[in-house]
Amino acid sequence: MVLLFGVEVFIGARMHDAIIRPYGGDYLCVIWLYCLVRSFVDWPAWKVALGVLVFAYMIETLQYFGFADRLGYTRPSLMRTLLGSYFTWTDIFCYTLGIFTVICWEGFLCQRLYTRTR
Protein backbone atom coordinates (compact mmCIF):
# COMPACT_ATOMS: atom_id res chain seq x y z
CA MET A 1 0.00 0.00 0.00
CA VAL A 2 2.87 2.38 0.76
CA LEU A 3 4.44 1.61 -2.61
CA LEU A 4 1.14 2.29 -4.35
CA PHE A 5 0.83 5.61 -2.52
CA GLY A 6 4.39 6.49 -3.54
CA VAL A 7 3.57 5.76 -7.17
CA GLU A 8 0.46 7.96 -6.91
CA VAL A 9 2.49 10.84 -5.45
CA PHE A 10 5.13 10.42 -8.15
CA ILE A 11 2.48 10.47 -10.88
CA GLY A 12 0.88 13.58 -9.40
CA ALA A 13 4.14 15.45 -8.87
CA ARG A 14 6.35 14.42 -11.77
CA MET A 15 4.33 12.96 -14.62
CA HIS A 16 3.13 15.49 -17.15
CA ASP A 17 2.30 13.24 -20.06
CA ALA A 18 -0.89 12.45 -21.94
CA ILE A 19 -1.41 8.87 -20.72
CA ILE A 20 -0.02 7.98 -17.28
CA ARG A 21 -1.10 11.06 -15.35
CA PRO A 22 -4.67 11.36 -16.61
CA TYR A 23 -5.48 7.65 -16.81
CA GLY A 24 -3.00 5.71 -14.70
CA GLY A 25 -3.40 7.98 -11.70
CA ASP A 26 -7.19 7.56 -11.64
CA TYR A 27 -6.93 3.82 -12.20
CA LEU A 28 -4.46 3.40 -9.32
CA CYS A 29 -6.28 5.86 -7.05
CA VAL A 30 -9.31 3.61 -6.51
CA ILE A 31 -7.07 0.59 -6.02
CA TRP A 32 -5.13 2.50 -3.37
CA LEU A 33 -8.34 3.67 -1.67
CA TYR A 34 -9.61 0.09 -1.66
CA CYS A 35 -6.38 -1.13 -0.03
CA LEU A 36 -6.53 1.70 2.50
CA VAL A 37 -10.09 0.89 3.56
CA ARG A 38 -9.43 -2.86 3.67
CA SER A 39 -6.45 -2.28 5.95
CA PHE A 40 -8.79 -0.80 8.58
CA VAL A 41 -12.01 -2.81 8.21
CA ASP A 42 -12.80 -6.47 7.81
CA TRP A 43 -15.71 -6.15 5.41
CA PRO A 44 -16.33 -8.32 2.36
CA ALA A 45 -14.20 -7.29 -0.61
CA TRP A 46 -17.16 -6.58 -2.87
CA LYS A 47 -18.73 -4.18 -0.32
CA VAL A 48 -15.51 -2.20 0.07
CA ALA A 49 -14.97 -2.17 -3.70
CA LEU A 50 -18.51 -0.94 -4.31
CA GLY A 51 -18.17 1.71 -1.58
CA VAL A 52 -14.90 3.00 -3.05
CA LEU A 53 -16.42 3.10 -6.52
CA VAL A 54 -19.47 5.04 -5.31
CA PHE A 55 -17.15 7.43 -3.44
CA ALA A 56 -15.07 7.98 -6.62
CA TYR A 57 -18.23 8.58 -8.66
CA MET A 58 -19.45 11.03 -6.02
CA ILE A 59 -16.22 13.03 -6.13
CA GLU A 60 -16.36 13.08 -9.92
CA THR A 61 -19.97 14.28 -9.78
CA LEU A 62 -18.94 17.07 -7.40
CA GLN A 63 -16.32 18.06 -9.97
CA TYR A 64 -19.05 18.33 -12.58
CA PHE A 65 -20.82 20.91 -10.40
CA GLY A 66 -17.60 22.83 -9.62
CA PHE A 67 -17.73 22.02 -5.92
CA ALA A 68 -14.15 23.14 -5.20
CA ASP A 69 -14.85 26.53 -6.78
CA ARG A 70 -18.09 26.89 -4.83
CA LEU A 71 -16.21 26.24 -1.59
CA GLY A 72 -13.67 28.90 -2.51
CA TYR A 73 -10.66 26.63 -3.04
CA THR A 74 -8.39 28.25 -5.57
CA ARG A 75 -5.22 27.11 -7.21
CA PRO A 76 -2.91 25.89 -5.87
CA SER A 77 -4.48 24.24 -2.87
CA LEU A 78 -4.47 20.76 -1.38
CA MET A 79 -8.28 20.66 -1.14
CA ARG A 80 -8.64 21.66 -4.78
CA THR A 81 -6.26 18.90 -5.73
CA LEU A 82 -8.14 16.34 -3.63
CA LEU A 83 -11.58 17.41 -4.83
CA GLY A 84 -10.53 17.90 -8.41
CA SER A 85 -11.56 20.66 -10.73
CA TYR A 86 -13.23 19.15 -13.79
CA PHE A 87 -15.42 16.20 -14.74
CA THR A 88 -14.55 13.68 -17.43
CA TRP A 89 -16.20 10.44 -18.44
CA THR A 90 -12.72 9.01 -18.90
CA ASP A 91 -12.16 9.30 -15.14
CA ILE A 92 -15.37 7.34 -14.53
CA PHE A 93 -14.10 4.65 -16.89
CA CYS A 94 -10.68 4.52 -15.16
CA TYR A 95 -12.31 4.23 -11.71
CA THR A 96 -14.56 1.44 -12.96
CA LEU A 97 -11.63 -0.39 -14.55
CA GLY A 98 -9.61 -0.06 -11.33
CA ILE A 99 -12.39 -1.53 -9.20
CA PHE A 100 -12.94 -4.27 -11.78
CA THR A 101 -9.25 -5.11 -11.42
CA VAL A 102 -9.62 -5.23 -7.62
CA ILE A 103 -12.64 -7.53 -7.80
CA CYS A 104 -10.88 -9.85 -10.25
CA TRP A 105 -7.74 -9.88 -8.11
CA GLU A 106 -9.68 -10.55 -4.91
CA GLY A 107 -11.62 -13.33 -6.62
CA PHE A 108 -8.44 -14.91 -7.93
CA LEU A 109 -6.58 -14.53 -4.65
CA CYS A 110 -9.45 -15.80 -2.51
CA GLN A 111 -9.99 -18.75 -4.82
CA ARG A 112 -6.28 -19.67 -4.68
CA LEU A 113 -6.20 -19.38 -0.89
CA TYR A 114 -9.39 -21.41 -0.51
CA THR A 115 -8.14 -24.25 -2.71
CA ARG A 116 -4.76 -24.22 -0.98
CA THR A 117 -6.27 -24.71 2.49
CA ARG A 118 -8.44 -27.68 1.47
Side-chain angles (χ1 to χ4, degrees), residues 39-97:
S39 69
F40 288 104
V41 298
D42 189 26
W43 297 339
W46 70 270
K47 285 185 179 182
V48 175
L50 182 61
V52 167
L53 187 60
V54 167
F55 176 75
Y57 287 173
M58 184 182 71
I59 295 295
E60 197 67 24
T61 302
L62 290 174
Q63 291 174 11
Y64 178 78
F65 293 108
F67 192 64
D69 292 331
R70 292 176 189 259
L71 292 177
Y73 295 116
T74 59
R75 292 187 179 156
S77 102
L78 177 61
M79 284 306 294
R80 186 173 181 86
T81 301
L82 292 175
L83 289 174
S85 54
Y86 60 93
F87 172 89
T88 65
W89 285 105
T90 308
D91 290 352
I92 297 288
F93 175 75
C94 290
Y95 299 148
T96 306
L97 187 61

